[in-house]
mmCIF file of all heavy atoms in Angstrom:
data_model
loop_
_atom_site.group_PDB
_atom_site.id
_atom_site.type_symbol
_atom_site.label_atom_id
_atom_site.label_comp_id
_atom_site.label_asym_id
_atom_site.label_seq_id
_atom_site.Cartn_x
_atom_site.Cartn_y
_atom_site.Cartn_z
ATOM 1 N N THR A 91 -1.531 2.386 -11.527
ATOM 2 C CA THR A 91 -1.395 1.564 -12.722
ATOM 3 C C THR A 91 -2.724 1.597 -13.486
ATOM 4 O O THR A 91 -3.883 1.980 -12.870
ATOM 5 C CB THR A 91 -1.195 -0.042 -12.378
ATOM 6 O OG1 THR A 91 -2.416 -0.518 -11.632
ATOM 7 C CG2 THR A 91 0.054 -0.092 -11.437
ATOM 8 N N ALA A 124 -3.703 7.178 -15.422
ATOM 9 C CA ALA A 124 -3.296 5.812 -15.615
ATOM 10 C C ALA A 124 -1.814 5.694 -16.111
ATOM 11 O O ALA A 124 -1.548 6.279 -17.168
ATOM 12 C CB ALA A 124 -4.271 5.125 -16.623
ATOM 13 N N LEU A 125 -1.156 4.845 -15.464
ATOM 14 C CA LEU A 125 0.330 4.609 -15.889
ATOM 15 C C LEU A 125 0.275 3.574 -17.044
ATOM 16 O O LEU A 125 -0.340 2.485 -16.827
ATOM 17 C CB LEU A 125 1.042 4.041 -14.615
ATOM 18 C CG LEU A 125 2.537 4.157 -14.560
ATOM 19 C CD1 LEU A 125 2.949 5.612 -14.561
ATOM 20 C CD2 LEU A 125 2.972 3.527 -13.238
ATOM 21 N N PRO A 126 0.961 3.894 -18.156
ATOM 22 C CA PRO A 126 0.901 2.961 -19.273
ATOM 23 C C PRO A 126 1.357 1.684 -18.807
ATOM 24 O O PRO A 126 2.283 1.584 -17.989
ATOM 25 C CB PRO A 126 1.792 3.585 -20.211
ATOM 26 C CG PRO A 126 1.874 5.066 -19.873
ATOM 27 C CD PRO A 126 1.633 5.073 -18.391
ATOM 28 N N ASP A 127 0.932 0.604 -19.417
ATOM 29 C CA ASP A 127 1.338 -0.779 -18.884
ATOM 30 C C ASP A 127 2.856 -1.073 -19.184
ATOM 31 O O ASP A 127 3.395 -1.904 -18.538
ATOM 32 C CB ASP A 127 0.470 -1.858 -19.660
ATOM 33 C CG ASP A 127 -0.929 -1.961 -19.064
ATOM 34 O OD1 ASP A 127 -1.137 -1.489 -17.949
ATOM 35 O OD2 ASP A 127 -1.804 -2.560 -19.738
ATOM 36 N N ASP A 128 3.379 -0.332 -20.163
ATOM 37 C CA ASP A 128 4.828 -0.630 -20.450
ATOM 38 C C ASP A 128 5.683 0.275 -19.628
ATOM 39 O O ASP A 128 6.985 0.302 -19.707
ATOM 40 C CB ASP A 128 5.057 -0.627 -21.921
ATOM 41 C CG ASP A 128 4.731 0.828 -22.446
ATOM 42 O OD1 ASP A 128 4.182 1.518 -21.782
ATOM 43 O OD2 ASP A 128 4.966 1.072 -23.658
ATOM 44 N N ALA A 129 5.166 1.103 -18.749
ATOM 45 C CA ALA A 129 5.966 2.108 -18.033
ATOM 46 C C ALA A 129 6.631 1.363 -16.938
ATOM 47 O O ALA A 129 5.945 0.707 -16.065
ATOM 48 C CB ALA A 129 5.229 3.277 -17.469
ATOM 49 N N THR A 130 7.959 1.323 -16.812
ATOM 50 C CA THR A 130 8.657 0.676 -15.776
ATOM 51 C C THR A 130 8.859 1.611 -14.593
ATOM 52 O O THR A 130 9.123 1.068 -13.470
ATOM 53 C CB THR A 130 10.140 0.253 -16.259
ATOM 54 O OG1 THR A 130 10.870 1.397 -16.748
ATOM 55 C CG2 THR A 130 9.953 -0.842 -17.328
ATOM 56 N N HIS A 131 8.792 2.882 -14.803
ATOM 57 C CA HIS A 131 9.054 3.858 -13.810
ATOM 58 C C HIS A 131 7.983 4.869 -13.694
ATOM 59 O O HIS A 131 7.290 5.210 -14.675
ATOM 60 C CB HIS A 131 10.541 4.514 -13.946
ATOM 61 C CG HIS A 131 11.552 3.658 -13.662
ATOM 62 N ND1 HIS A 131 11.934 2.626 -14.572
ATOM 63 C CD2 HIS A 131 12.371 3.630 -12.652
ATOM 64 C CE1 HIS A 131 12.997 1.972 -14.026
ATOM 65 N NE2 HIS A 131 13.416 2.560 -12.940
ATOM 66 N N LEU A 132 7.786 5.541 -12.687
ATOM 67 C CA LEU A 132 6.870 6.675 -12.519
ATOM 68 C C LEU A 132 7.364 7.897 -13.338
ATOM 69 O O LEU A 132 8.630 8.177 -13.262
ATOM 70 C CB LEU A 132 6.787 7.133 -11.100
ATOM 71 C CG LEU A 132 5.683 6.712 -10.148
ATOM 72 C CD1 LEU A 132 5.523 7.651 -8.876
ATOM 73 C CD2 LEU A 132 4.416 6.500 -10.872
ATOM 74 N N PRO A 133 6.514 8.603 -14.096
ATOM 75 C CA PRO A 133 7.015 9.730 -14.814
ATOM 76 C C PRO A 133 7.110 10.981 -13.908
ATOM 77 O O PRO A 133 6.388 11.839 -14.092
ATOM 78 C CB PRO A 133 5.869 9.922 -15.920
ATOM 79 C CG PRO A 133 4.686 9.358 -15.238
ATOM 80 C CD PRO A 133 5.123 8.305 -14.166
ATOM 81 N N ALA A 139 11.734 5.857 -9.671
ATOM 82 C CA ALA A 139 10.833 5.178 -8.991
ATOM 83 C C ALA A 139 10.242 4.092 -9.790
ATOM 84 O O ALA A 139 9.555 4.224 -10.647
ATOM 85 C CB ALA A 139 9.654 6.083 -8.390
ATOM 86 N N ARG A 140 10.907 2.843 -9.473
ATOM 87 C CA ARG A 140 10.504 1.613 -10.320
ATOM 88 C C ARG A 140 9.144 1.091 -9.845
ATOM 89 O O ARG A 140 8.906 0.985 -8.625
ATOM 90 C CB ARG A 140 11.630 0.620 -10.229
ATOM 91 C CG ARG A 140 11.337 -0.751 -10.932
ATOM 92 C CD ARG A 140 12.656 -1.291 -11.331
ATOM 93 N NE ARG A 140 13.570 -1.678 -10.178
ATOM 94 C CZ ARG A 140 13.492 -2.925 -9.581
ATOM 95 N NH1 ARG A 140 12.822 -3.858 -10.143
ATOM 96 N NH2 ARG A 140 14.283 -3.144 -8.599
ATOM 97 N N VAL A 141 8.389 0.718 -10.780
ATOM 98 C CA VAL A 141 7.026 0.139 -10.391
ATOM 99 C C VAL A 141 7.069 -1.402 -10.575
ATOM 100 O O VAL A 141 7.449 -1.943 -11.504
ATOM 101 C CB VAL A 141 6.032 0.608 -11.506
ATOM 102 C CG1 VAL A 141 4.614 0.275 -11.283
ATOM 103 C CG2 VAL A 141 6.041 2.270 -11.599
ATOM 104 N N VAL A 142 6.652 -1.986 -9.453
ATOM 105 C CA VAL A 142 6.595 -3.501 -9.404
ATOM 106 C C VAL A 142 5.142 -3.960 -9.363
ATOM 107 O O VAL A 142 4.499 -3.851 -8.323
ATOM 108 C CB VAL A 142 7.336 -4.007 -8.199
ATOM 109 C CG1 VAL A 142 7.380 -5.487 -8.147
ATOM 110 C CG2 VAL A 142 8.751 -3.501 -8.197
ATOM 111 N N ARG A 143 4.700 -4.390 -10.453
ATOM 112 C CA ARG A 143 3.161 -4.683 -10.579
ATOM 113 C C ARG A 143 2.927 -6.188 -10.186
ATOM 114 O O ARG A 143 3.684 -7.069 -10.466
ATOM 115 C CB ARG A 143 2.639 -4.517 -12.003
ATOM 116 C CG ARG A 143 2.637 -3.059 -12.573
ATOM 117 C CD ARG A 143 2.328 -3.112 -14.007
ATOM 118 N NE ARG A 143 2.211 -1.707 -14.504
ATOM 119 C CZ ARG A 143 3.274 -1.128 -14.980
ATOM 120 N NH1 ARG A 143 4.486 -1.625 -14.828
ATOM 121 N NH2 ARG A 143 2.989 0.128 -15.454
#
Side-chain angles (χ1 to χ4, degrees):
T91 66
L125 204 59
D127 283 339
D128 59 354
T130 58
H131 290 73
L132 268 197
R140 180 152 61 96
V141 180
V142 181
R143 295 175 177 79

